[in-house]
Amino acid sequence: MRLLLYIMAVSVFVYSPTNLANSIVQQNLDFGTLVIPSNSNISSVIIKADAEINTTGRIYVLEKGQPAELLLTDFPALTQLTMHLVNSVTVQHNAQGSSSADFEVRLNGFPKSVRTDDLGEAKVFIGGTLITKPSSKSYSDGDYSSTTNLEISIDY
């Protein structure tokens, strides 16, 4: 039985018409603690923006993860923000070197719009999908992590 703890840190770049906006990562995308008994089939863990978790194939969740949480600040109060990903984000990753199998991470559940509060702030939740890649290699026990840049264009 193999355990996998996977955490993905997200660096965020926000582009807005005034370029005065800021973003703060409140919580990284975390796939939790997983068991992958074999790596002969494609399996996946999907964490939705609302924190619902689904799995496919032969991958099991021992400890639930959670979506990334971003705090957007310095926008006008009570304003609808329309968001677009500047680039699609997919991470090919092998954190344990050549001894461990590869996996892929895709971001999902990115909202198209959000409304700011009285302080000009808005929370954004972003889910992700972790996909195993079948191979003769297994997943080594350990902590797996990766960092990716997320570029967001915001109109209001």
Side-chain angles (χ1 to χ4, degrees):
M1 186 181 299
R2 298 289 179 191
L3 296 180
L4 166 72
L5 174 63
Y6 183 78
I7 300 172
M8 184 172 148
V10 179
S11 300
V12 182
F13 301 101
V14 176
Y15 301 100
S16 67
T18 61
N19 289 326
L20 298 176
N22 289 307
S23 64
I24 302 165
V25 176
Q26 301 285 84
Q27 174 61 51
N28 292 322
L29 176 59
D30 181 351
F31 287 95
T33 303
L34 309 173
V35 175
I36 305 170
S38 72
N39 194 26
S40 56
N41 299 322
I42 293 175
S43 299
S44 65
V45 173
I46 302 164
I47 298 185
K48 297 183 180 179
D50 65 0
E52 181 182 335
I53 298 173
N54 295 315
T55 62
T56 63
R58 297 194 65 211
I59 192 167
Y60 307 97
V61 177
L62 286 183
E63 185 178 316
K64 290 184 177 183
Q66 56 199 15
E69 179 182 341
L70 308 177
L71 178 64
L72 304 177
T73 64
D74 302 323
F75 286 96
L78 306 173
T79 302
Q80 189 77 17
L81 307 178
T82 303
M83 297 177 288
H84 307 280
L85 285 174
V86 175
N87 296 312
S88 62
V89 178
T90 299
V91 178
Q92 300 285 335
H93 195 63
N94 181 351
Q96 301 294 325
S98 61
S99 66
S100 184
D102 291 331
F103 57 86
E104 178 181 327
V105 175
R106 297 178 187 158
L107 297 183
N108 62 33
F110 188 81
K112 295 181 183 186
S113 65
V114 66
R115 187 167 179 82
T116 61
D117 61 16
D118 293 338
L119 301 174
E121 298 179 345
K123 287 187 179 181
V124 176
F125 296 91
I126 303 170
T129 303
L130 181 141
I131 304 164
T132 65
K133 293 184 171 188
S135 77
S136 60
K137 295 180 182 179
S138 62
Y139 288 94
S140 302
D141 292 348
D143 295 340
Y144 290 71
S145 65
S146 181
T147 301
T148 189
N149 294 326
L150 178 64
E151 296 181 49
I152 303 170
S153 172
I154 300 178
D155 298 314
Y156 56 94

